[in-house]
Amino acid sequence: MRVLIQLRPSPDIVAAVAAPDLTATTADVTGELPGVALDHDFTPVPLPRVRPAIPGGDPLSLNQPLDFSMAPEDASVLVRGEISDDDRAARTALLPGRGGSVVGVYADPVIETSLTCGGTPPVGTWRDVERLLAVPRLTADGYDGSGVALAICDTGINAAHVTRQMGRSFTIDAERSWSPSGVSETPGEFPVDHGSMCAFDALIAAPKASFIDIPVLLSRRQGDTVMDGLLSDAIAAFSHLRTLLDAQPAASRALVVSNSWGSFSPLWDFAPGQPGNYSDNPAHPFNIIVGSLERAGADILFAAGNCGAECKDRRCAFPARPIVGANSHPQVLSIGGVDTKGLRVGYSSQGPGRLSDRKPDVCSYTHFAGSKAFGPGTPDSGTSAACPVAAGLVAAVRTHWPASAISPAQLRTLLYRTAADRSTVGFDYDYGYGIADTPALLSALERRAAATAKV
């Protein structure tokens, strides 16, 4: 166990430790302490003496006026070491009084950065995301989503709001958009909601993509559970997308599908093992149609979900492995979330996935000030935002690399290989292969183009 050891050496040593122009070492402060592996790389730290400011005050209370003295005859010094876990209590008890200088032994526990959670303020802005995605380089190299269809499967897009917030217009492909039965609004004219946030976030890297509005989350066909009413319409939506993809010339097929939704509870599903189960069942019709759309050439992205261990969404009810169903499909990109500082947000679901062990695949940016779809000051958050941010990057790549040149599986592999690793051992269940890294991805594409040109 790592510990901090408080010592009260002679005043001249305390003065040397406290002096800004001197550097005292652990060896200067104390000799060897039996049973303690001292950390001699740790520079001793002076610790002031605290006393109640009012005579007769409680010497152990912080809830009163206090005086702090760094005078050499008052202050003490902290050094760092490690005590074996064997007989820890006995060894710790023997240290105070050792040589007359040890006055206390304290735990030195691991501390970690507090992760971003729901309800916390934005971390950066969409302009930071634009910079982190290296959008100026994407633009300079002609990767802007031109000629690429980008489907937002969500609550529908309000194009006027997105245009106003981003300061530039974009294309809604109304003719190729699709709505569930009973949804009558015109594509691009839905109320401002989750779908507008997703469109905004996808536009950051793919400003010239043609957006296909698929408001599948507005399904009016509700059954006994949430998924009863949704998944059947999602199947119909993906069937529509397959028709669109088949209609594209084979040589230039480019369809990216962004899905910021998923199942939160096993109560919405048949039990695992039952033939009709969705969450764990690759034979479920939706999981099959997802695989078929990918095989036809579509890049399909799903949010990993907001059931991270540190601050999960209140709806999360899977006791473990919350990346379920198509969100964990082996032929999709499951996107985890990091803030603009590169730290996983606490609500981003961790793997393993249920259909495929190695989920999430990669992470992208979320929890930034962006679309204002939920009001000023409210961030674009959740893996719901990270997914379309990544979808925009994929759409940008497809500008020059259609599925005939790089299959969806090959592009996923490139994203894995070029991601900025956030662990020391490659893939992990927090970040997947890491954060999608635009410069590394573009460099890999350049090498691929050069190799292709030589053939």
Side-chain angles (χ1 to χ4, degrees), residues 3 5-7 26 29-38 40 79-83 91 94-102 104-105:
V3 293
I5 303 169
Q6 183 183 13
L7 306 109
T26 294
V29 174
T30 183
E32 293 301 316
L33 292 176
V36 180
L38 291 168
H40 290 277
V79 298
R80 187 167 71 185
E82 190 166 346
I83 295 175
R91 293 175 186 274
L94 287 174
L95 282 172
R98 176 75 185 180
S101 62
V102 176
V105 181

Side-chain angles (χ1 to χ4, degrees), residues 224-449:
D224 293 336
T225 72
V226 175
M227 295 301 287
D228 273 351
L230 173 67
L231 211 52
S232 56
D233 280 330
I235 289 174
F238 272 57
S239 177
H240 169 76
L241 291 170
R242 174 64 191 270
T243 301
L244 296 184
L245 191 62
D246 289 344
Q248 292 182 358
S252 58
R253 282 185 180 176
L255 171 64
V256 181
V257 187
S258 181
N259 300 274
S260 293
W261 55 271
S263 175
F264 282 87
S265 172
L267 299 178
W268 300 353
D269 197 356
F270 292 150
Q274 290 190 13
N277 170 268
Y278 163 66
S279 304
D280 296 73
N281 182 12
H284 187 280
F286 185 63
N287 293 327
I288 289 176
I289 202 167
V290 166
S292 73
L293 185 62
E294 187 270 352
R295 183 65 175 272
D299 301 294
I300 304 170
L301 296 89
F302 271 87
N306 299 332
C307 297
E310 292 83 0
C311 41
K312 64 181 66 174
D313 187 287
R314 60 179 173 77
R315 295 167 293 176
C316 298
F318 284 97
R321 298 168 62 200
I323 308 177
V324 307
N327 303 65
S328 63
H329 199 293
Q331 273 81 52
V332 311
L333 279 167
S334 178
I335 306 298
V338 294
D339 61 27
T340 56
K341 296 179 180 177
L343 296 175
R344 186 181 69 83
V345 292
Y347 50 72
S348 181
S349 295
Q350 294 134 306
R354 288 181 176 260
L355 295 190
S356 180
D357 181 273
R358 290 200 160 199
K359 297 292 176 180
D361 293 285
V362 293
C363 287
S364 193
Y365 301 102
T366 184
H367 217 90
F368 52 86
S371 70
K372 301 181 182 177
F374 300 102
T378 302
D380 290 6
S381 65
T383 53
S384 286
C387 180
V389 167
L393 175 59
V394 171
V397 169
R398 286 299 183 199
T399 311
H400 295 314
W401 295 90
S404 59
I406 297 180
S407 71
Q410 290 172 321
L411 184 50
R412 289 198 300 277
T413 300
L414 271 180
L415 284 164
Y416 302 159
R417 291 170 54 189
T418 57
D421 193 2
R422 294 292 298 173
S423 71
T424 57
V425 291
F427 179 89
D428 64 79
Y429 292 130
D430 286 345
Y431 292 91
Y433 288 93
I435 304 172
D437 186 333
T438 302
L441 178 60
L442 291 180
S443 295
L445 291 170
E446 289 172 0
R447 292 193 294 272
R448 188 181 184 93

Side-chain angles (χ1 to χ4, degrees), residues 133-175:
L133 291 176
V135 170
R137 180 177 172 185
L138 284 170
T139 303
D141 291 351
Y143 289 100
D144 57 10
S146 296
V148 179
L150 203 169
I152 301 294
C153 298
D154 213 273
T155 61
I157 301 169
N158 187 299
H161 175 84
V162 174
T163 297
R164 188 164 53 250
Q165 298 306 323
M166 184 150 278
R168 60 177 184 242
S169 61
F170 67 106
T171 300
I172 294 281
D173 188 338
E175 185 176 343

Side-chain angles (χ1 to χ4, degrees), residues 173-199:
D173 188 338
E175 185 176 343
R176 293 194 290 177
S177 295
W178 177 92
S179 293
S181 176
V183 177
S184 57
E185 289 92 338
T186 300
E189 297 182 5
F190 289 93
V192 177
D193 205 331
H194 197 261
S196 298
M197 178 193 78
C198 292

Side-chain angles (χ1 to χ4, degrees), residues 91-117:
R91 293 175 186 274
T92 303
L94 287 174
L95 282 172
R98 176 75 185 180
S101 62
V102 176
V103 295
V105 181
Y106 304 93
D108 184 18
V110 174
I111 54 175
E112 294 181 342
T113 303
S114 297
L115 295 177
T116 297
C117 289

Side-chain angles (χ1 to χ4, degrees), residues 22 64 222 291 302 386 428 453:
L22 298 176
Q64 61 182 327
Q222 293 294 328
F302 271 87
D428 64 79

